Amino acid sequence: MRFISLCLALAFSFSAQADDTSRFMMPGDLIENTGQGVASHAIYFPQMRFPVESGPAYANSHAYAPGGFKGNGGSECDPANYSYPWRDNFCEFRKADLPLCASGGHQGQDIRPATCEASKHWAVAAEDGIVAHVGRFGVTIQSPTGTLYRYVHLDMKTLQVKPMDKIAKGSRIGKISNNWLGPLPIHLHFDAKDTIMLNGEPKAVFLPPYTSLVASYQLIMD
Amino acid sequence: MEFAKVALAATLLAATTAAPALAKNGVERVPTDIDWSAAKIAAKRSLARDPEAVEKFVAATNGTLRTVELPVLIFGSDAKMETPQFANQKSAYVAFYTLEGAQVSILGSHTVLTGTEDLTGHHQAVAYESIGSGADYNLNRYGAHYTIRLTCDNPIKDVRCRKPEFLNSVVQTLLVVNGAAQ
């Protein structure tokens, strides 16, 4: 009886996630005319912890959305920006095209925290590692195997770490804000760089983080 | 018993049709082979070329270099930077430099992700790439992989972050210092 219950519970769980298009649009499905995404379903960082301490959070473009610099006006706090479903924006148009993007150069994923408030919600470490780089706008964590996780637009006054600190997966780094040279919607720019074999040669590239974010988000929310 | 079979079948069916996030991965991380012979020769040359930078760095690291599983690269004296802060993660390391109005890290590792054949190289992966708040410079040496990450307090005005010349020039000073096999 216990076996049957377990099977049914698992079946229900898988089915529920299969129907999760209400929360997550498909990888590579960018807003129309904003670049050509990467449609891979592979999870490149399966061990990753979701980089925001608690949910809900909303992965979507900060630029091509209400209140964004290419969003045709509106408010960054528009409820549409703080609603499901998530939308991939790796490869979204930027100055230059990335190696893995047919067109577009956004190196990571924009993530809005639960509410439209700066310096309230914590960004946390995706893996154990070292605080490898601290600049004026953000932080890079290097995992023990060399993955570089970058967190940009943090409120650096709230920073809990300094260069060369050891950091544990899930530990607080700093609060998500809109720290930049000019006006910017409140969001975390999160990206991940690693070495892959590309055309037969090892190359350090920014990888699509969307599927890893979906998987890690499900772990903290479901 | 029949019901149990149906339940098991339902589980398997649901699992195989689950969301993209549950897709089975072929992605794996594998260590790369280091060419220690070449690295040792380069380390000897580095010591001969720039003994002050090498010796200062080795002294500052308190023996921790011996467990780094890849050759450690640092900038030479011509880059005009102070001795970096250093962190050893065995399969990876960080050397962090603070400059006036800018920051630079040398980030080394010796693993590669395989099973990424679903990714297509649409554009050449060049050494220098802008990262908004600065730039990265990527290089492979002796079987290990290095990203040099530069950020500036004002990345729009600071020429070090706007143009590749600064990173290109400091890369020319790189020294091979040490590693586990030396």
Side-chain angles (χ1 to χ4, degrees), chain A residues 134-188:
Chain A
V134 177
R136 180 179 166 192
F137 307 104
V139 168
T140 299
I141 306 292
Q142 184 195 55
S143 82
T145 52
T147 307
L148 303 178
Y149 296 107
R150 187 165 64 128
Y151 302 72
V152 192
H153 310 307
L154 299 176
D155 176 348
M156 301 305 273
K157 293 193 294 292
T158 68
L159 216 60
Q160 302 293 298
V161 297
K162 60 185 187 305
M164 303 300 104
D165 278 354
K166 281 187 181 172
I167 191 163
K169 185 175 180 174
S171 298
R172 289 175 170 177
I173 297 173
K175 289 185 173 177
I176 298 165
S177 188
N178 51 0
N179 178 17
W180 191 239
L181 293 164
L184 197 70
I186 297 154
H187 75 283
L188 172 67

Side-chain angles (χ1 to χ4, degrees), chain A residues 3-4 6-8 10-12 14-15 17-20 26-27 36 38 40-47 95 97-103 107 128-137 140 142-150 152 163-164 180-181 191 193-199 201-208 211 214-215 218, chain B residues 3-5 7-8 10-11 14-27 29 32 85-96 98 103-116 118-126 129-134 136-138 140 145-147 149-156:
Chain A
F3 173 71
I4 294 169
L6 180 65
C7 284
L8 290 175
L10 279 171
F12 177 77
F14 284 132
S15 300
Q17 291 180 58
D19 288 339
D20 230 352
M26 297 294 270
Q36 191 173 329
V38 177
S40 169
H41 288 194
I43 301 168
Y44 300 103
F45 308 103
Q47 70 289 354
K95 280 181 194 167
D97 294 335
L98 286 180
L100 298 182
C101 303
S103 63
Q107 292 158 332
D128 292 345
I130 294 288
V131 179
H133 193 101
V134 177
R136 180 179 166 192
F137 307 104
T140 299
Q142 184 195 55
S143 82
T145 52
T147 307
L148 303 178
Y149 296 107
R150 187 165 64 128
V152 192
M164 303 300 104
W180 191 239
L181 293 164
D191 62 39
K193 189 171 201 177
D194 216 318
T195 306
I196 64 168
M197 295 305 292
L198 200 58
N199 303 325
E201 284 183 51
K203 293 287 181 188
V205 292
F206 289 99
L207 285 163
T211 51
V214 169
Q218 287 175 321
Chain B
F3 185 59
K5 284 181 183 168
L8 180 61
T11 307
T16 54
T17 57
L22 291 170
K24 264 289 173 195
N25 265 334
V27 178
R29 185 178 296 280
T32 54
Q85 292 179 263
F86 179 75
N88 168 15
Q89 302 205 79
K90 294 184 180 174
S91 285
Y93 81 88
V94 181
F96 182 72
T98 304
Q103 307 79 33
V104 190
S105 293
I106 302 177
L107 306 151
S109 67
H110 78 112
T111 68
V112 63
L113 291 177
T114 62
T116 57
D118 55 340
L119 297 173
T120 305
H122 295 281
H123 302 279
Q124 197 179 356
V126 291
E129 62 180 338
S130 171
I131 59 166
S133 53
D136 281 355
Y137 190 101
N138 308 301
N140 300 322
H145 320 296
Y146 305 86
T147 292
R149 177 156 289 176
L150 164 70
T151 58
C152 293
D153 293 347
N154 193 329
I156 292 174

